[in-house]
Amino acid sequence: MKSSLKRKFPPALALFLIAPIFGELFSGSTPLNEYLNPFSLIVLSLLYGCGAILVRELVLRWKKGWASLLLLGFAYGVYEEGLVVRSFFDPNWIDLGSLAIYGRVAGVNWVWSQHLTVYHALISIAASITFVEMLYASLRAEPWIKSRKGWIANWAGFSSVLFIGRVLTPYDAPDGWVLLAWLAIFFFAGLARLIPAQILPPRQRQAPSPWRFFFIGIVGMFLQFFLISIGADNGAYPFPVAMLILTVFDLGVLFLVLRWNGNGAAWDDRHRMALIAGGLSFFLIFVPLFTQGQYPVMYFSNPIFLLSLGIAYWRVKKRVEDEKARVSSEVSEEEMTA
């Protein structure tokens, strides 16, 4: 982004707009024609945008790292799906499909709850925050909300959606489960506050090509949905086994990413952007196929979205390579004058 554009769109505003795009529009949960409805746009921005801003600022204020970011992402997922829209508990939630039956016990859609909590942590929170930080790389280490009014405004916007959700999705979940949802939010947030910023020692190594991160992003998302589908739709295993398999699979993907990036020490923004683009590309490519033409607008919008991700990767790649070339030139000059 050029400096003039950055002045018009400060990073907090960019995150406010991009988080709902990643969480709802790119995922296919809300197709473009519905997303552009002014009321939907405002509510989704208050939910996703304010939520992502608050998570980002808390991680920065607490001086934490990627693990705290994911834990606060889990807390966000429980807030949205467990309290705002109550999809964790509503058997008639529109997106459930076979998960309205498979994995539903004691009034809770367990497989859905696990799946959506992970989804929101990865896509709605971590991917959107990391993406905007790459766009505003020079401001990555700075707070984006610097005034008390800014904090109050974001907390007010984020909290207001809870009351809007009670009107729009008035499913009456049992009070005990609602209380447990609140406790889960406080647990994840508290753990995010307590754990150290660097939970694993950095490892010096050569990170593989960004394409490998793109591959794990798109294939990882595909297998996540595939593992759920063969259990829910094909009856391959009971739902507790499905939840265990998903947990092992997600931890395996995390292990692989950490191994490749040296526990966060060996990669740069090219690899991060490739990983994000891979995860989002799964939705942009496959959701129109899965929905079988239910939302025709996706056949026009999604290629544009894919192109925008490609352009974003190209810009990030060019910036990183220019920075490396400049550092290399400065080192060479210092060696010549030494």
Side-chain angles (χ1 to χ4, degrees):
M1 282 190 175
K2 295 181 180 180
S3 57
S4 60
L5 187 59
K6 287 183 179 181
R7 285 194 294 270
K8 292 179 182 178
F9 287 92
L13 178 58
L15 183 53
F16 181 78
L17 297 174
I18 285 175
I21 289 175
F22 279 16
E24 284 286 324
L25 183 59
F26 278 20
S27 71
S29 297
T30 304
L32 183 62
N33 56 313
E34 296 178 11
Y35 184 84
L36 293 178
N37 177 287
F39 179 76
S40 297
L41 186 58
I42 291 171
V43 172
L44 292 174
S45 296
L46 290 174
L47 177 60
Y48 286 90
C50 291
I53 290 170
L54 291 170
V55 167
R56 194 258 175 193
E57 296 302 296
L58 286 173
V59 170
L60 191 69
R61 174 175 284 195
W62 293 344
K63 298 180 176 155
K64 300 298 180 181
W66 62 266
S68 292
L69 178 64
L70 290 180
L71 286 167
L72 288 175
F74 293 156
Y76 171 88
V78 176
Y79 177 80
E80 177 177 336
E81 301 294 340
L83 298 178
V84 174
V85 302
R86 306 279 175 106
S87 74
F88 283 1
F89 315 112
D90 187 353
N92 300 310
W93 184 249
I94 187 171
D95 296 323
L96 279 174
S98 57
L99 296 182
I101 300 172
Y102 183 79
R104 181 172 177 82
V105 173
V108 179
N109 307 313
W110 292 103
V111 178
W112 171 265
S113 298
Q114 178 189 19
H115 174 55
L116 263 290
T117 300
V118 172
Y119 165 81
H120 283 301
L122 295 178
I123 301 298
S124 305
I125 298 300
S128 62
I129 292 172
T130 304
F131 181 82
V132 177
E133 286 186 339
M134 287 188 288
L135 297 183
Y136 294 81
S138 63
L139 303 176
R140 195 195 311 258
E142 298 181 13
W144 295 346
I145 301 297
K146 300 181 181 180
S147 68
R148 188 169 175 233
K149 289 182 179 179
W151 276 96
I152 293 174
N154 277 281
W155 277 114
F158 187 58
S159 302
S160 69
V161 184
L162 182 61
F163 301 99
I164 297 172
R166 300 310 308 121
V167 175
L168 298 179
T169 55
Y171 179 76
D172 188 19
D175 292 340
W177 287 125
V178 173
L179 175 60
L180 284 176
W182 278 112
L183 291 175
I185 291 171
F186 291 130
F187 170 77
F188 287 131
L191 190 58
R193 180 70 177 88
L194 292 174
I195 63 173
Q198 186 73 44
I199 62 173
L200 295 172
R203 296 170 56 246
Q204 296 302 320
R205 57 157 298 164
Q206 181 69 38
S209 165
W211 281 107
R212 192 178 297 187
F213 288 87
F214 177 87
F215 178 80
I216 197 64
I218 192 169
V219 173
M221 279 294 174
F222 178 85
L223 290 176
Q224 176 93 0
F225 280 81
F226 176 75
L227 291 172
I228 293 173
S229 175
I230 61 175
D233 299 330
N234 300 330
Y237 31 68
F239 86 88
V241 175
M243 296 182 70
L244 178 61
I245 290 174
L246 287 174
T247 300
V248 173
F249 174 76
D250 291 340
L251 290 175
V253 172
L254 177 61
F255 170 81
L256 194 57
V257 170
L258 290 173
R259 181 177 176 83
W260 287 348
N261 70 15
N263 294 336
W267 65 347
D268 56 42
D269 282 347
R270 294 171 298 180
H271 306 94
R272 297 182 186 96
M273 184 65 222
L275 182 62
I276 291 171
L280 292 173
S281 294
F282 162 77
F283 296 102
L284 293 172
I285 295 170
F286 290 102
V287 168
L289 303 178
F290 293 157
T291 55
Q292 298 178 340
Q294 184 178 358
Y295 304 109
V297 69
M298 290 183 181
Y299 294 116
F300 301 95
S301 62
N302 285 23
I304 297 174
F305 298 153
L306 284 166
L307 178 62
S308 70
L309 286 177
I311 293 173
Y313 175 78
W314 177 81
R315 292 178 68 91
V316 167
K317 180 175 180 289
K318 185 176 185 304
R319 172 178 59 78
V320 172
E321 291 176 348
D322 288 346
E323 290 171 353
K324 288 180 177 293
R326 184 169 61 252
V327 170
S328 177
S329 176
E330 292 173 354
V331 171
S332 298
E333 290 178 2
E334 291 178 359
E335 291 176 347
M336 291 177 62
T337 59

Short mmCIF file of all heavy atoms in Angstrom, two decimals, residues 44-103:
data_model
loop_
_atom_site.label_atom_id
_atom_site.label_comp_id
_atom_site.label_asym_id
_atom_site.label_seq_id
_atom_site.Cartn_x
_atom_site.Cartn_y
_atom_site.Cartn_z
N LEU A 44 -21.80 -7.79 10.48
CA LEU A 44 -20.63 -8.66 10.31
C LEU A 44 -19.33 -7.92 10.61
O LEU A 44 -18.39 -8.49 11.18
CB LEU A 44 -20.60 -9.24 8.90
CG LEU A 44 -21.71 -10.24 8.55
CD1 LEU A 44 -21.66 -10.62 7.09
CD2 LEU A 44 -21.62 -11.47 9.43
N SER A 45 -19.26 -6.66 10.24
CA SER A 45 -18.05 -5.88 10.52
C SER A 45 -17.89 -5.64 12.01
O SER A 45 -16.77 -5.71 12.54
CB SER A 45 -18.11 -4.54 9.77
OG SER A 45 -18.11 -4.75 8.36
N LEU A 46 -18.98 -5.36 12.70
CA LEU A 46 -18.90 -5.18 14.14
C LEU A 46 -18.46 -6.47 14.83
O LEU A 46 -17.66 -6.43 15.78
CB LEU A 46 -20.26 -4.73 14.70
CG LEU A 46 -20.70 -3.31 14.36
CD1 LEU A 46 -22.12 -3.08 14.85
CD2 LEU A 46 -19.75 -2.28 14.96
N LEU A 47 -18.96 -7.60 14.34
CA LEU A 47 -18.61 -8.88 14.96
C LEU A 47 -17.18 -9.29 14.63
O LEU A 47 -16.33 -9.43 15.52
CB LEU A 47 -19.59 -9.96 14.49
CG LEU A 47 -19.34 -11.38 14.97
CD1 LEU A 47 -19.40 -11.45 16.50
CD2 LEU A 47 -20.37 -12.34 14.36
N TYR A 48 -16.91 -9.48 13.34
CA TYR A 48 -15.58 -9.95 12.93
C TYR A 48 -14.53 -8.86 13.08
O TYR A 48 -13.42 -9.12 13.57
CB TYR A 48 -15.61 -10.42 11.48
CG TYR A 48 -16.30 -11.73 11.25
CD1 TYR A 48 -17.66 -11.79 10.98
CD2 TYR A 48 -15.58 -12.93 11.27
CE1 TYR A 48 -18.30 -13.00 10.75
CE2 TYR A 48 -16.20 -14.14 11.03
CZ TYR A 48 -17.57 -14.17 10.78
OH TYR A 48 -18.20 -15.36 10.54
N GLY A 49 -14.85 -7.66 12.60
CA GLY A 49 -13.86 -6.59 12.59
C GLY A 49 -13.44 -6.17 13.98
O GLY A 49 -12.24 -6.14 14.29
N CYS A 50 -14.42 -5.84 14.83
CA CYS A 50 -14.08 -5.44 16.20
C CYS A 50 -13.43 -6.59 16.95
O CYS A 50 -12.49 -6.39 17.73
CB CYS A 50 -15.33 -4.96 16.94
SG CYS A 50 -15.98 -3.39 16.32
N GLY A 51 -13.89 -7.82 16.70
CA GLY A 51 -13.31 -8.97 17.37
C GLY A 51 -11.85 -9.16 17.01
O GLY A 51 -10.99 -9.38 17.88
N ALA A 52 -11.53 -9.06 15.72
CA ALA A 52 -10.14 -9.23 15.28
C ALA A 52 -9.26 -8.10 15.81
O ALA A 52 -8.11 -8.33 16.21
CB ALA A 52 -10.07 -9.28 13.75
N ILE A 53 -9.78 -6.88 15.81
CA ILE A 53 -9.00 -5.74 16.33
C ILE A 53 -8.68 -5.95 17.81
O ILE A 53 -7.54 -5.77 18.26
CB ILE A 53 -9.77 -4.43 16.13
CG1 ILE A 53 -9.81 -4.07 14.65
CG2 ILE A 53 -9.14 -3.29 16.94
CD1 ILE A 53 -10.75 -2.92 14.31
N LEU A 54 -9.68 -6.35 18.59
CA LEU A 54 -9.46 -6.56 20.02
C LEU A 54 -8.46 -7.68 20.28
O LEU A 54 -7.59 -7.55 21.15
CB LEU A 54 -10.80 -6.86 20.71
CG LEU A 54 -11.78 -5.70 20.79
CD1 LEU A 54 -13.15 -6.17 21.26
CD2 LEU A 54 -11.26 -4.59 21.69
N VAL A 55 -8.58 -8.77 19.53
CA VAL A 55 -7.62 -9.87 19.70
C VAL A 55 -6.22 -9.40 19.37
O VAL A 55 -5.26 -9.64 20.13
CB VAL A 55 -8.01 -11.06 18.80
CG1 VAL A 55 -6.87 -12.07 18.73
CG2 VAL A 55 -9.27 -11.74 19.33
N ARG A 56 -6.07 -8.70 18.26
CA ARG A 56 -4.74 -8.24 17.85
C ARG A 56 -4.13 -7.30 18.90
O ARG A 56 -2.96 -7.43 19.25
CB ARG A 56 -4.88 -7.53 16.51
CG ARG A 56 -3.54 -7.29 15.81
CD ARG A 56 -3.09 -5.86 15.96
NE ARG A 56 -1.75 -5.69 15.39
CZ ARG A 56 -1.00 -4.64 15.59
NH1 ARG A 56 -1.42 -3.65 16.36
NH2 ARG A 56 0.20 -4.56 15.06
N GLU A 57 -4.93 -6.38 19.40
CA GLU A 57 -4.40 -5.41 20.37
C GLU A 57 -4.09 -6.07 21.71
O GLU A 57 -3.14 -5.68 22.39
CB GLU A 57 -5.41 -4.27 20.55
CG GLU A 57 -5.62 -3.45 19.29
CD GLU A 57 -4.33 -2.84 18.75
OE1 GLU A 57 -3.73 -1.99 19.46
OE2 GLU A 57 -3.92 -3.21 17.64
N LEU A 58 -4.88 -7.06 22.11
CA LEU A 58 -4.60 -7.76 23.37
C LEU A 58 -3.30 -8.56 23.27
O LEU A 58 -2.49 -8.55 24.21
CB LEU A 58 -5.77 -8.68 23.73
CG LEU A 58 -7.03 -7.99 24.25
CD1 LEU A 58 -8.16 -9.00 24.41
CD2 LEU A 58 -6.77 -7.28 25.58
N VAL A 59 -3.10 -9.25 22.17
CA VAL A 59 -1.85 -10.01 21.99
C VAL A 59 -0.66 -9.07 22.03
O VAL A 59 0.37 -9.36 22.66
CB VAL A 59 -1.89 -10.79 20.65
CG1 VAL A 59 -0.52 -11.39 20.34
CG2 VAL A 59 -2.94 -11.89 20.71
N LEU A 60 -0.78 -7.90 21.39
CA LEU A 60 0.31 -6.94 21.39
C LEU A 60 0.52 -6.34 22.78
O LEU A 60 1.65 -6.23 23.26
CB LEU A 60 0.02 -5.83 20.37
CG LEU A 60 1.18 -4.89 20.07
CD1 LEU A 60 2.27 -5.62 19.31
CD2 LEU A 60 0.70 -3.68 19.28
N ARG A 61 -0.56 -5.96 23.44
CA ARG A 61 -0.45 -5.36 24.77
C ARG A 61 0.12 -6.35 25.77
O ARG A 61 0.92 -5.97 26.64
CB ARG A 61 -1.82 -4.87 25.22
CG ARG A 61 -1.86 -4.36 26.64
CD ARG A 61 -3.21 -3.77 27.01
NE ARG A 61 -3.39 -2.44 26.42
CZ ARG A 61 -4.33 -1.59 26.81
NH1 ARG A 61 -5.18 -1.94 27.77
NH2 ARG A 61 -4.44 -0.41 26.25
N TRP A 62 -0.26 -7.61 25.67
CA TRP A 62 0.24 -8.62 26.59
C TRP A 62 1.64 -9.11 26.21
O TRP A 62 2.24 -9.90 26.93
CB TRP A 62 -0.71 -9.81 26.62
CG TRP A 62 -2.06 -9.52 27.21
CD1 TRP A 62 -2.41 -8.44 27.95
CD2 TRP A 62 -3.24 -10.33 27.08
NE1 TRP A 62 -3.74 -8.52 28.31
CE2 TRP A 62 -4.27 -9.68 27.79
CE3 TRP A 62 -3.52 -11.53 26.44
CZ2 TRP A 62 -5.56 -10.19 27.87
CZ3 TRP A 62 -4.81 -12.05 26.51
CH2 TRP A 62 -5.82 -11.39 27.22
N LYS A 63 2.12 -8.71 25.03
CA LYS A 63 3.44 -9.14 24.53
C LYS A 63 3.49 -10.67 24.38
O LYS A 63 4.41 -11.33 24.85
CB LYS A 63 4.56 -8.65 25.44
CG LYS A 63 4.65 -7.15 25.52
CD LYS A 63 5.75 -6.69 26.43
CE LYS A 63 5.82 -5.17 26.36
NZ LYS A 63 6.36 -4.52 27.47
N LYS A 64 2.49 -11.18 23.68
CA LYS A 64 2.38 -12.62 23.47
C LYS A 64 2.67 -12.97 22.01
O LYS A 64 2.96 -12.11 21.19
CB LYS A 64 0.99 -13.11 23.88
CG LYS A 64 0.66 -12.85 25.35
CD LYS A 64 1.61 -13.57 26.28
CE LYS A 64 1.28 -13.31 27.74
NZ LYS A 64 2.21 -14.00 28.66
N GLY A 65 2.53 -14.28 21.70
CA GLY A 65 2.86 -14.77 20.36
C GLY A 65 1.71 -15.51 19.70
O GLY A 65 0.54 -15.31 20.03
N TRP A 66 2.11 -16.41 18.78
CA TRP A 66 1.11 -17.08 17.95
C TRP A 66 0.16 -17.96 18.75
O TRP A 66 -1.02 -18.09 18.40
CB TRP A 66 1.80 -17.91 16.86
CG TRP A 66 2.68 -19.01 17.39
CD1 TRP A 66 4.01 -18.96 17.62
CD2 TRP A 66 2.27 -20.34 17.76
NE1 TRP A 66 4.48 -20.16 18.11
CE2 TRP A 66 3.43 -21.03 18.20
CE3 TRP A 66 1.05 -21.01 17.75
CZ2 TRP A 66 3.39 -22.35 18.63
CZ3 TRP A 66 1.00 -22.33 18.19
CH2 TRP A 66 2.16 -22.99 18.62
N ALA A 67 0.65 -18.57 19.83
CA ALA A 67 -0.22 -19.46 20.61
C ALA A 67 -1.34 -18.66 21.28
O ALA A 67 -2.50 -19.10 21.30
CB ALA A 67 0.60 -20.22 21.65
N SER A 68 -1.03 -17.52 21.82
CA SER A 68 -2.06 -16.68 22.42
C SER A 68 -3.02 -16.17 21.37
O SER A 68 -4.23 -16.03 21.63
CB SER A 68 -1.41 -15.49 23.16
OG SER A 68 -0.68 -15.94 24.29
N LEU A 69 -2.51 -15.88 20.18
CA LEU A 69 -3.39 -15.47 19.09
C LEU A 69 -4.42 -16.54 18.77
O LEU A 69 -5.62 -16.26 18.62
CB LEU A 69 -2.54 -15.15 17.85
CG LEU A 69 -3.30 -14.73 16.59
CD1 LEU A 69 -4.02 -13.42 16.80
CD2 LEU A 69 -2.34 -14.64 15.40
N LEU A 70 -3.98 -17.79 18.70
CA LEU A 70 -4.91 -18.89 18.41
C LEU A 70 -5.89 -19.10 19.56
O LEU A 70 -7.09 -19.36 19.34
CB LEU A 70 -4.14 -20.18 18.13
CG LEU A 70 -3.34 -20.22 16.83
CD1 LEU A 70 -2.62 -21.56 16.69
CD2 LEU A 70 -4.25 -20.00 15.62
N LEU A 71 -5.41 -19.00 20.80
CA LEU A 71 -6.30 -19.20 21.95
C LEU A 71 -7.38 -18.12 22.00
O LEU A 71 -8.56 -18.41 22.27
CB LEU A 71 -5.49 -19.20 23.24
CG LEU A 71 -4.67 -20.47 23.49
CD1 LEU A 71 -3.67 -20.24 24.63
CD2 LEU A 71 -5.57 -21.65 23.82
N LEU A 72 -7.01 -16.88 21.73
CA LEU A 72 -8.02 -15.83 21.67
C LEU A 72 -8.94 -16.04 20.47
O LEU A 72 -10.11 -15.66 20.50
CB LEU A 72 -7.35 -14.46 21.60
CG LEU A 72 -6.69 -13.98 22.90
CD1 LEU A 72 -5.96 -12.67 22.69
CD2 LEU A 72 -7.73 -13.83 24.02
N GLY A 73 -8.40 -16.66 19.41
CA GLY A 73 -9.25 -17.03 18.27
C GLY A 73 -10.28 -18.08 18.66
O GLY A 73 -11.44 -18.03 18.23
N PHE A 74 -9.88 -19.04 19.50
CA PHE A 74 -10.84 -20.01 20.02
C PHE A 74 -11.93 -19.31 20.84
O PHE A 74 -13.12 -19.63 20.71
CB PHE A 74 -10.14 -21.03 20.92
CG PHE A 74 -9.18 -21.94 20.20
CD1 PHE A 74 -8.13 -22.55 20.88
CD2 PHE A 74 -9.32 -22.21 18.84
CE1 PHE A 74 -7.24 -23.38 20.22
CE2 PHE A 74 -8.43 -23.05 18.18
CZ PHE A 74 -7.39 -23.63 18.88
N ALA A 75 -11.51 -18.36 21.68
CA ALA A 75 -12.47 -17.61 22.49
C ALA A 75 -13.45 -16.86 21.59
O ALA A 75 -14.67 -16.84 21.85
CB ALA A 75 -11.75 -16.64 23.42
N TYR A 76 -12.93 -16.27 20.52
CA TYR A 76 -13.80 -15.58 19.57
C TYR A 76 -14.80 -16.55 18.95
O TYR A 76 -15.99 -16.23 18.80
CB TYR A 76 -12.98 -14.91 18.46
CG TYR A 76 -13.85 -14.38 17.37
CD1 TYR A 76 -14.38 -13.10 17.44
CD2 TYR A 76 -14.19 -15.17 16.27
CE1 TYR A 76 -15.24 -12.63 16.46
CE2 TYR A 76 -15.04 -14.72 15.29
CZ TYR A 76 -15.56 -13.44 15.38
OH TYR A 76 -16.42 -12.99 14.41
N GLY A 77 -14.32 -17.72 18.53
CA GLY A 77 -15.20 -18.70 17.90
C GLY A 77 -16.34 -19.11 18.82
O GLY A 77 -17.48 -19.25 18.38
N VAL A 78 -16.05 -19.33 20.10
CA VAL A 78 -17.10 -19.70 21.06
C VAL A 78 -18.07 -18.54 21.23
O VAL A 78 -19.29 -18.75 21.32
CB VAL A 78 -16.48 -20.09 22.41
CG1 VAL A 78 -17.57 -20.39 23.44
CG2 VAL A 78 -15.58 -21.31 22.25
N TYR A 79 -17.55 -17.32 21.25
CA TYR A 79 -18.41 -16.14 21.40
C TYR A 79 -19.39 -16.04 20.23
O TYR A 79 -20.60 -15.88 20.43
CB TYR A 79 -17.56 -14.87 21.47
CG TYR A 79 -18.35 -13.59 21.56
CD1 TYR A 79 -18.90 -13.16 22.76
CD2 TYR A 79 -18.54 -12.80 20.43
CE1 TYR A 79 -19.63 -11.98 22.84
CE2 TYR A 79 -19.26 -11.61 20.50
CZ TYR A 79 -19.80 -11.21 21.70
OH TYR A 79 -20.52 -10.04 21.77
N GLU A 80 -18.87 -16.15 19.01
CA GLU A 80 -19.75 -16.00 17.84
C GLU A 80 -20.74 -17.15 17.72
O GLU A 80 -21.95 -16.95 17.61
CB GLU A 80 -18.93 -15.90 16.55
CG GLU A 80 -19.83 -15.83 15.33
CD GLU A 80 -19.08 -15.64 14.03
OE1 GLU A 80 -17.94 -15.13 14.05
OE2 GLU A 80 -19.63 -16.02 12.98
N GLU A 81 -20.22 -18.37 17.73
CA GLU A 81 -21.08 -19.52 17.43
C GLU A 81 -21.86 -20.02 18.65
O GLU A 81 -22.95 -20.56 18.49
CB GLU A 81 -20.23 -20.65 16.86
CG GLU A 81 -19.48 -20.29 15.59
CD GLU A 81 -20.38 -20.00 14.40
OE1 GLU A 81 -21.55 -20.42 14.43
OE2 GLU A 81 -19.90 -19.33 13.46
N GLY A 82 -21.29 -19.83 19.85
CA GLY A 82 -21.98 -20.33 21.03
C GLY A 82 -22.93 -19.33 21.66
O GLY A 82 -23.94 -19.73 22.24
N LEU A 83 -22.61 -18.03 21.53
CA LEU A 83 -23.42 -17.02 22.21
C LEU A 83 -24.18 -16.11 21.26
O LEU A 83 -25.36 -15.82 21.50
CB LEU A 83 -22.51 -16.16 23.11
CG LEU A 83 -21.80 -16.91 24.23
CD1 LEU A 83 -20.90 -15.96 25.01
CD2 LEU A 83 -22.79 -17.58 25.16
N VAL A 84 -23.54 -15.66 20.18
CA VAL A 84 -24.21 -14.71 19.29
C VAL A 84 -25.26 -15.40 18.44
O VAL A 84 -26.42 -15.01 18.42
CB VAL A 84 -23.18 -13.97 18.41
CG1 VAL A 84 -23.89 -13.08 17.39
CG2 VAL A 84 -22.25 -13.12 19.27
N VAL A 85 -24.87 -16.44 17.70
CA VAL A 85 -25.82 -17.12 16.81
C VAL A 85 -26.32 -18.44 17.36
O VAL A 85 -27.26 -19.02 16.82
CB VAL A 85 -25.20 -17.33 15.40
CG1 VAL A 85 -24.80 -16.00 14.80
CG2 VAL A 85 -24.02 -18.28 15.45
N ARG A 86 -25.68 -18.95 18.42
CA ARG A 86 -26.10 -20.19 19.09
C ARG A 86 -26.08 -21.42 18.18
O ARG A 86 -26.83 -22.38 18.40
CB ARG A 86 -27.51 -20.03 19.69
CG ARG A 86 -27.66 -18.80 20.62
CD ARG A 86 -27.14 -19.10 22.00
NE ARG A 86 -27.15 -17.93 22.89
CZ ARG A 86 -28.01 -17.75 23.88
NH1 ARG A 86 -28.94 -18.65 24.12
NH2 ARG A 86 -27.93 -16.70 24.65
N SER A 87 -25.22 -21.42 17.16
CA SER A 87 -25.17 -22.58 16.26
C SER A 87 -24.61 -23.81 16.95
O SER A 87 -24.84 -24.94 16.48
CB SER A 87 -24.33 -22.25 15.02
OG SER A 87 -22.95 -22.23 15.32
N PHE A 88 -23.87 -23.64 18.05
CA PHE A 88 -23.39 -24.79 18.80
C PHE A 88 -24.55 -25.63 19.32
O PHE A 88 -24.40 -26.84 19.53
CB PHE A 88 -22.54 -24.34 19.99
CG PHE A 88 -21.15 -23.90 19.65
CD1 PHE A 88 -20.69 -23.90 18.33
CD2 PHE A 88 -20.29 -23.49 20.65
CE1 PHE A 88 -19.40 -23.49 18.03
CE2 PHE A 88 -19.00 -23.09 20.35
CZ PHE A 88 -18.55 -23.08 19.05
N PHE A 89 -25.69 -25.00 19.54
CA PHE A 89 -26.81 -25.67 20.21
C PHE A 89 -28.05 -25.83 19.34
O PHE A 89 -28.85 -26.74 19.58
CB PHE A 89 -27.19 -24.86 21.47
CG PHE A 89 -26.02 -24.43 22.29
CD1 PHE A 89 -25.67 -23.10 22.40
CD2 PHE A 89 -25.22 -25.37 22.94
CE1 PHE A 89 -24.58 -22.69 23.15
CE2 PHE A 89 -24.12 -24.99 23.69
CZ PHE A 89 -23.80 -23.63 23.79
N ASP A 90 -28.23 -24.99 18.34
CA ASP A 90 -29.44 -24.97 17.52
C ASP A 90 -29.42 -26.13 16.52
O ASP A 90 -28.58 -26.16 15.62
CB ASP A 90 -29.54 -23.64 16.78
CG ASP A 90 -30.85 -23.47 16.04
OD1 ASP A 90 -31.63 -24.43 15.98
OD2 ASP A 90 -31.08 -22.36 15.51
N PRO A 91 -30.34 -27.10 16.62
CA PRO A 91 -30.34 -28.23 15.69
C PRO A 91 -30.80 -27.84 14.29
O PRO A 91 -30.63 -28.61 13.34
CB PRO A 91 -31.31 -29.22 16.33
CG PRO A 91 -32.25 -28.36 17.12
CD PRO A 91 -31.42 -27.22 17.64
N ASN A 92 -31.40 -26.66 14.16
CA ASN A 92 -31.93 -26.22 12.86
C ASN A 92 -31.06 -25.15 12.22
O ASN A 92 -31.50 -24.49 11.27
CB ASN A 92 -33.36 -25.68 13.04
CG ASN A 92 -34.30 -26.72 13.60
OD1 ASN A 92 -34.37 -27.85 13.09
ND2 ASN A 92 -35.03 -26.38 14.65
N TRP A 93 -29.85 -24.96 12.73
CA TRP A 93 -28.96 -23.96 12.14
C TRP A 93 -28.72 -24.29 10.68
O TRP A 93 -28.45 -25.43 10.31
CB TRP A 93 -27.65 -23.90 12.91
CG TRP A 93 -26.73 -22.83 12.42
CD1 TRP A 93 -25.55 -23.00 11.76
CD2 TRP A 93 -26.93 -21.42 12.52
NE1 TRP A 93 -24.99 -21.78 11.45
CE2 TRP A 93 -25.82 -20.79 11.91
CE3 TRP A 93 -27.94 -20.63 13.08
CZ2 TRP A 93 -25.70 -19.41 11.84
CZ3 TRP A 93 -27.81 -19.25 13.01
CH2 TRP A 93 -26.70 -18.66 12.40
N ILE A 94 -28.83 -23.28 9.81
CA ILE A 94 -28.91 -23.49 8.37
C ILE A 94 -27.69 -24.19 7.78
O ILE A 94 -27.80 -24.94 6.81
CB ILE A 94 -29.15 -22.13 7.66
CG1 ILE A 94 -29.42 -22.34 6.18
CG2 ILE A 94 -27.96 -21.19 7.90
CD1 ILE A 94 -29.88 -21.09 5.47
N ASP A 95 -26.51 -23.99 8.35
CA ASP A 95 -25.28 -24.54 7.77
C ASP A 95 -24.91 -25.93 8.28
O ASP A 95 -23.92 -26.50 7.83
CB ASP A 95 -24.10 -23.59 8.05
CG ASP A 95 -24.27 -22.24 7.39
OD1 ASP A 95 -24.80 -22.20 6.26
OD2 ASP A 95 -23.89 -21.22 8.00
N LEU A 96 -25.69 -26.48 9.19
CA LEU A 96 -25.30 -27.74 9.84
C LEU A 96 -25.30 -28.93 8.90
O LEU A 96 -24.40 -29.76 8.93
CB LEU A 96 -26.22 -28.02 11.03
CG LEU A 96 -25.93 -27.30 12.34
CD1 LEU A 96 -27.04 -27.59 13.35
CD2 LEU A 96 -24.59 -27.73 12.89
N GLY A 97 -26.33 -29.05 8.09
CA GLY A 97 -26.45 -30.24 7.26
C GLY A 97 -26.54 -31.50 8.10
O GLY A 97 -27.29 -31.56 9.08
N SER A 98 -25.74 -32.51 7.77
CA SER A 98 -25.77 -33.78 8.50
C SER A 98 -25.26 -33.64 9.92
O SER A 98 -25.53 -34.50 10.78
CB SER A 98 -24.95 -34.84 7.77
OG SER A 98 -23.61 -34.40 7.59
N LEU A 99 -24.54 -32.56 10.23
CA LEU A 99 -24.03 -32.36 11.59
C LEU A 99 -25.13 -31.96 12.56
O LEU A 99 -24.88 -31.88 13.76
CB LEU A 99 -22.92 -31.30 11.60
CG LEU A 99 -21.66 -31.67 10.81
CD1 LEU A 99 -20.61 -30.57 10.94
CD2 LEU A 99 -21.08 -33.00 11.29
N ALA A 100 -26.34 -31.73 12.05
CA ALA A 100 -27.48 -31.51 12.94
C ALA A 100 -27.85 -32.80 13.67
O ALA A 100 -28.49 -32.75 14.73
CB ALA A 100 -28.68 -31.01 12.14
N ILE A 101 -27.45 -33.94 13.11
CA ILE A 101 -27.73 -35.24 13.72
C ILE A 101 -26.43 -35.89 14.19
O ILE A 101 -26.31 -36.33 15.33
CB ILE A 101 -28.45 -36.16 12.72
CG1 ILE A 101 -29.79 -35.55 12.29
CG2 ILE A 101 -28.67 -37.55 13.32
CD1 ILE A 101 -30.47 -36.28 11.16
N TYR A 102 -25.44 -35.94 13.29
CA TYR A 102 -24.17 -36.55 13.62
C TYR A 102 -23.42 -35.66 14.61
O TYR A 102 -23.09 -34.50 14.33
CB TYR A 102 -23.34 -36.71 12.34
CG TYR A 102 -22.01 -37.39 12.52
CD1 TYR A 102 -21.93 -38.77 12.63
CD2 TYR A 102 -20.83 -36.65 12.56
CE1 TYR A 102 -20.70 -39.41 12.77
CE2 TYR A 102 -19.60 -37.27 12.69
CZ TYR A 102 -19.55 -38.65 12.80
OH TYR A 102 -18.33 -39.28 12.94
N GLY A 103 -23.17 -36.20 15.78
CA GLY A 103 -22.43 -35.44 16.78
C GLY A 103 -23.30 -34.60 17.68
O GLY A 103 -22.77 -33.83 18.49
#
